[in-house]
Amino acid sequence: MNDCIILIGFMGAGKTTVGKILAKDLGYDLIDTDTIIESRLNMKISDIFRDFGEAYFRKEEKAVIHGLSFNRPAVISCGGGSVLDSDNADILKAFGKIIYLKVSAETVCERTADDTSRPLLSKGNISELLKSRDEIYSKVCDFSIDTDCLKATEIADKIKKMLKY
Ligand code: S3P
């Protein structure tokens, strides 16, 4: 399968929301790696981090990505750290086009101000973390989109245009 659309980017970039819109518009399946991890372990992401730590979460994330299989094309919304692992990035690349939803630290702060579901955000290191990841996201992606000033529907439209749907 190489006609999936893979959404990557920082927490709060809108991957899940845009993924839902795209999947609906295109009649694709929607795969959300975090949702799969949560249902495999029957635990919230924040509880997995709290009880077992980040390394354990990353192992689960990798297992989920390596276990993906498709009958039909899908939109894959990836957890923000998933492509930091180059094996994960290689596998995802083979499934289709990778789109990086770019977002500024200010926007992430605004969107996630009351968010308690993302353990890595609580450490108050958003701009540092974003800076260190931007290079990787940019290297891994086929296309990137600046999303700060766009609505989710506009982002989905842009992606469809980029991919000539
Ligand atoms: C993470 C992002 C989260 C989730 C976990 C770790 C990250 O997903 O996978 O909290 O390392 O960026 P979202 O990007 O969907 O928030």
Side-chain angles (χ1 to χ4, degrees), residues 5 21-28 75 160 165:
I5 300 173
I21 296 169
L22 263 183
K24 188 162 174 260
D25 285 358
L26 299 173
Y28 279 19
V75 177
K160 284 185 277 181
Y165 281 96

Side-chain angles (χ1 to χ4, degrees), residues 85-99:
D85 178 299
S86 60
D87 289 342
N88 290 350
D90 288 344
I91 289 209
L92 290 165
K93 230 175 182 15
F95 291 146
K97 293 281 185 252
I98 299 189
I99 315 291

Side-chain angles (χ1 to χ4, degrees), residues 122-141:
S122 57
K123 295 179 181 160
N125 55 356
I126 292 174
S127 60
E128 213 175 290
L129 196 58
L130 179 55
K131 208 161 137 205
S132 70
R133 288 180 172 191
D134 176 64
E135 199 181 329
I136 299 169
Y137 293 145
S138 300
K139 216 180 266 172
V140 163
C141 75

Side-chain angles (χ1 to χ4, degrees), residues 31 39 43 75 100 114 129 133 146:
I31 292 172
S39 64
M43 287 173 87
V75 177
Y100 170 23
D114 301 320
L129 196 58
R133 288 180 172 191
D146 283 311

Side-chain angles (χ1 to χ4, degrees), residues 11 15 34 45 49 57-58 61 79-81 118-120 133:
M11 295 164 271
K15 302 178 296 280
D34 282 345
I45 300 286
F49 271 71
F57 171 79
R58 296 297 172 203
E61 185 174 58
R118 292 172 165 119
L120 295 182
R133 288 180 172 191

Side-chain angles (χ1 to χ4, degrees), residues 9-13 15-16 32-34 37 45-46 49 54 57-58 61 77-82 84 115 117-121 129 133 137:
F10 204 73
M11 295 164 271
K15 302 178 296 280
T16 303
D32 185 306
T33 57
D34 282 345
I37 296 167
I45 300 286
S46 52
F49 271 71
E54 181 173 352
F57 171 79
R58 296 297 172 203
E61 185 174 58
S77 169
C78 297
S82 50
L84 306 179
D115 189 343
S117 68
R118 292 172 165 119
L120 295 182
L121 288 181
L129 196 58
R133 288 180 172 191
Y137 293 145

